[in-house]
């Protein structure tokens, strides 16, 4: 196979065979990566313009019944101080976010039975009543079909649920036996069927991940066509079984961002906080690779350090307003503009 030809084929056809994806992932040199990044940005600009959409992230709680081996808020981590935001605190974060210009609120958290359908639907209804011009995105893990339906009914617009890996055996190495890959994928299908703009995604460089798996990830995105796709480097957390594993690479993440953009031109693709944690200009590099979403933190500063999914997470000390100013400068440095519109999939 030829690098230049394969890269050009991806640009032309928005699709490659799994073998060709693998070839790019394993062999792309500097020149090929730059070419793919430039073409990815050109495709993004054609669809959405030079806009990077802002999503206000509210980390509603770190109490979690799950024990994902990579995650700093897994239930076995006895050293983390647990918190949960009540309705009024969440609404206060959203009010501040709205004042700052945000028109999407993302409620993310651990799987905590406190956030029943009754509790969540009340919060969603209130958000939609106060801010009818805003989108509400949820990222609260696996729930029943009925529960997703109730949340959708209450007005939630989008749902982020990374599948974490496309390989069922790999999934089993990242999660305890009581969790299942099958259920994770079932949830994604349900979310799509219910009309949520649906986000899947995976960590780059998680333990036991291979290049072959990443090639399959590309095929999966091509076929599932999620409205959103979250990818970021795996970063070890010192209180997890993966404390001594090595972190995922920034350059591989950027290559995959470019490939995903080229496969699925309309996808909403965040330059993640994990990418910004691995490299001081990580989010800018992500945007230069074809990403078009950032998710600054609107959580109360008092709890930010407690939502520590991985070590050295950035932006845990600043006020929300400071995060906006800082990010908008960073985005301008890439030739794009921070956009506060709802930024729906189109
Ligand atoms: N409980 C929700 C939200 C999870 S946190 C859910 O299950 O969807 C959001 C994402 O952070 C996860 O899906 C995972 O991909 C990522 N994440 C968790 N631990 C991480 C780590 N150590 N390094 C990098 N990303 C991590």
């Amino acid at each position: 196979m030829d690098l230049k030809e394969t890269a050009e084929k991806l640009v032309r056809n928005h699709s490659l065979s799994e073998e060709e994806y693998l070839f790019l992932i394993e062999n792309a040199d500097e020149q090929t990566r730059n070419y793919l990044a430039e073409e990815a940005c050109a495709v993004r600009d054609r669809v959405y313009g030079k806009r990077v959409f802002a999503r206000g992230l509210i980390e509603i709680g770190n109490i979690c019944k799950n024990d994902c081996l990579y995650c700093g808020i897994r239930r076995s981590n006895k050293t983390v101080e647990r918190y949960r935001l009540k309705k009024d605190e969440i609404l206060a974060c959203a009010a501040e976010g709205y004042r700052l210009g945000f028109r999407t609120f993302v409620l993310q958290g651990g799987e905590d039975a406190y956030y029943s359908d009754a509790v969540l639907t009340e919060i969603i209804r209130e958000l939609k009543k106060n801010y009818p011009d805003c989108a509400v995105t949820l990222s609260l893990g696996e729930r029943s079909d009925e529960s997703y339906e109730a949340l959708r009914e209450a007005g939630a617009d989008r749902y982020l649920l990374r599948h974490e890996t496309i390989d069922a055996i790999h999934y089993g190495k990242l999660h305890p036996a009581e969790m299942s890959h099958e259920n994770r994928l079932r949830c994604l299908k349900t979310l799509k069927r219910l009309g949520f703009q649906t986000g899947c995604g995976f960590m780059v460089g998680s333990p036991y991940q291979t290049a072959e798996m990443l090639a399959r990830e590309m095929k999966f995105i091509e076929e599932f066509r999620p409205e959103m796709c979250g990818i970021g480097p795996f970063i070890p957390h010192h209180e997890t079984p993966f404390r001594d594993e090595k972190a995922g690479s920034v350059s591989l993440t950027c290559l995959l961002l470019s490939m995903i953009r080229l496969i699925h031109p309309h996808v909403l693709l965040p330059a993640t906080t994990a990418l910004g944690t691995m490299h001081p200009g990580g989010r800018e590099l992500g945007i230069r690779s074809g990403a078009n979403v950032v998710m600054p933190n609107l959580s109360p500063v008092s709890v930010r350090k407690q939502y520590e999914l991985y070590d050295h997470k950035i932006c845990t000390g600043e006020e929300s307003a400071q995060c906006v100013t800082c990010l908008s400068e960073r985005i301008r440095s890439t030739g794009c503009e921070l956009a506060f519109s709802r930024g729906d999939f189109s």
Side-chain angles (χ1 to χ4, degrees), residues 64 66 68 70-73 108-111 139-142 159-164 179 184 201-203 230 232-237 240 274 307 309-311:
C64 193
N66 288 334
C68 309
Y70 45 84
C71 185
I73 64 168
Q108 186 178 86
E111 291 191 21
S139 178
L140 299 168
E142 297 171 32
Y159 204 104
L160 305 173
L161 186 77
R162 292 190 180 178
H163 56 287
E164 312 298 358
M179 290 179 76
R184 196 96 183 156
F202 56 91
M203 290 175 287
F234 159 76
I235 306 173
H237 184 288
T240 66
Y307 198 81
L309 307 179
Y310 45 79
D311 288 340

Side-chain angles (χ1 to χ4, degrees), residues 6-22:
T6 312
E8 285 171 357
K9 185 171 171 190
L10 176 57
V11 170
R12 206 170 47 241
N13 297 350
H14 307 291
S15 168
L16 293 175
S17 69
E18 229 172 274
E19 293 68 34
E20 291 165 328
Y21 285 134
L22 178 61

Side-chain angles (χ1 to χ4, degrees), residues 151-170:
L151 302 175
R152 178 83 184 116
E153 188 75 12
D157 303 278
R158 310 180 184 142
Y159 204 104
L160 305 173
L161 186 77
R162 292 190 180 178
H163 56 287
E164 312 298 358
T165 171
I166 198 54
D167 187 284
I169 294 169
H170 185 215

Side-chain angles (χ1 to χ4, degrees), residues 244-281:
D244 297 323
E245 300 289 335
K246 87 180 205 309
S249 118
V250 169
S251 64
L252 179 56
T253 304
C254 287
L255 171 65
L256 294 167
L257 284 169
S258 299
M259 291 174 68
I260 292 169
R261 169 65 60 204
L262 289 165
I263 291 167
H264 190 9
H266 291 253
V267 75
L268 290 156
L269 194 60
T272 57
T273 305
L275 193 55
T277 297
M278 283 299 295
H279 184 288

